[in-house]
């Protein structure tokens, strides 16, 4: 009989211990979960295959594909003069700085007869050009676009297009005043629209030519003043 009471007592103690343990577990706060952060993906601009044109005299630099051709004088086409910027005033004589010709093709029989996509940079300290730098040259058909920020500087933007005699020149002229001069940073496509020749395997699609023109943005956006 005595063992029977002892067994009941032991069972009661065990039951109370279980209840106490459960209460302790339920009221003890859990330690904060340790979260291991995922690695942040980083990208480094790919500058392989590119070169830099830097002008200490004019205080700027610009990056361009190594395959491009640089010219320190502007070659004219039927609708594009060799002046310091497209649609410059005729009575202003200023020297261009550099033309970056990213793509150029020429043929005697296939389409297009000629085409080039280039970025031109020019500068003028002429009082007339400075006064009208941030205005569209409306007599030449320029149309104002939204301002563009390039290299941390706000530029006025103007589209232009001239066509006739189955040739054309079109583009965007970005202009800003810097150190008392008007700077022009222009992306330009100039070519022939002549199509009377029979189709040729050497013909280049308009979509390809347009892609070459749009690719000039990757050059324009790298322009930066050094001072």
């Amino acid at each position: 009989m005595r063992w029977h009471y002892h067994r009941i007592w032991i069972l009661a103690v065990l039951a109370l211990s279980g209840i106490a343990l459960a209460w302790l577990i339920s009221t003890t706060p859990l330690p904060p979960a340790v979260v291991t952060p995922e690695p942040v993906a980083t990208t480094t601009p790919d500058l392989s295959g590119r070169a830099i044109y830097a002008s200490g005299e004019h205080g700027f630099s610009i990056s361009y594909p190594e395959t491009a051709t640089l010219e320190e004088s502007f070659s004219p086409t039927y609708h594009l003069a060799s002046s310091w910027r497209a649609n410059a005033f005729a009575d202003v004589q200023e020297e261009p700085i550099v033309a970056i010709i990213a793509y150029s093709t020429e043929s005697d029989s296939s389409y297009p007869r000629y085409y080039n996509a280039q970025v031109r940079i020019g500068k003028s300290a002429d009082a007339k050009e400075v006064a009208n730098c941030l205005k569209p040259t409306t007599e030449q058909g320029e149309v104002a676009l939204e301002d563009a920020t390039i290299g941390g500087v706000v530029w006025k933007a103007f589209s232009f297009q001239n066509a006739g005699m189955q040739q054309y020149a079109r583009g965007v002229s970005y202009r800003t005043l810097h150190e008392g001069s008007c700077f022009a940073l222009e992306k330009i496509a100039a070519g022939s629209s002549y199509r009377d020749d029979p189709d040729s395997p050497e013909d280049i699609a308009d979509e390809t030519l347009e892609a070459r023109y749009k690719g000039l943005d990757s050059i324009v956006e790298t322009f930066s003043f050094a001072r």
Side-chain angles (χ1 to χ4, degrees), residues 32-107:
V34 177
V35 178
T36 302
E38 295 183 3
V40 178
T42 57
T43 58
T44 302
D46 183 9
L47 297 180
S48 59
R50 294 183 72 89
I52 295 177
Y53 177 90
S55 172
E57 177 184 357
H58 302 290
F60 71 86
S61 65
I62 191 169
S63 171
Y64 62 93
E66 289 180 343
T67 54
T69 301
L70 267 60
E71 294 182 355
E72 294 187 342
S73 61
F74 295 166
S75 300
T77 64
Y78 191 83
H79 291 288
L80 187 65
S82 59
S83 53
W84 75 278
R85 71 169 176 88
N87 303 315
F89 293 106
D91 57 344
V92 174
Q93 300 298 321
E94 291 284 348
E95 294 296 324
I97 299 175
V98 66
I100 302 171
I101 304 171
Y103 178 77
S104 179
T105 184
E106 189 172 351
S107 173

Side-chain angles (χ1 to χ4, degrees), residues 124-137:
S124 175
D126 180 87
K128 184 176 181 179
E129 288 287 8
V130 170
N132 292 277
C133 183
L134 308 183
K135 305 173 185 177
T137 310

Side-chain angles (χ1 to χ4, degrees), residues 127-205:
K128 184 176 181 179
E129 288 287 8
V130 170
N132 292 277
C133 183
L134 308 183
K135 305 173 185 177
T137 310
T138 52
E139 58 269 31
Q140 297 293 336
E142 285 191 345
V143 177
L145 305 175
E146 291 186 4
D147 293 354
T149 300
I150 304 170
V153 174
V154 177
W155 297 66
K156 293 293 182 180
F158 310 97
S159 66
F160 61 88
Q161 180 168 344
N162 298 298
M165 300 298 291
Q166 297 184 324
Q167 299 178 75
Y168 63 88
R170 65 185 178 92
V172 177
S173 178
Y174 301 98
R175 299 200 289 270
T176 193
L177 292 170
H178 183 73
E179 295 184 342
S181 295
C182 178
F183 274 80
L185 171 63
E186 300 179 321
K187 63 175 186 177
I188 301 170
S192 167
S193 56
Y194 181 80
R195 283 186 175 276
D196 290 345
D197 291 321
D199 291 346
S200 165
E202 297 180 357
D203 288 349
I204 301 174

Side-chain angles (χ1 to χ4, degrees), residues 103-105 111-117 168 170 188-193 195 203-216:
Y103 178 77
S104 179
T105 184
Y111 177 84
R113 288 295 180 89
Y114 76 90
Y115 179 88
N116 65 73
Y168 63 88
R170 65 185 178 92
I188 301 170
S192 167
S193 56
R195 283 186 175 276
D203 288 349
I204 301 174
D206 285 327
E207 292 79 8
T208 300
L209 301 177
E210 181 66 13
R212 296 291 188 175
Y213 170 69
K214 291 182 177 179
L216 298 176

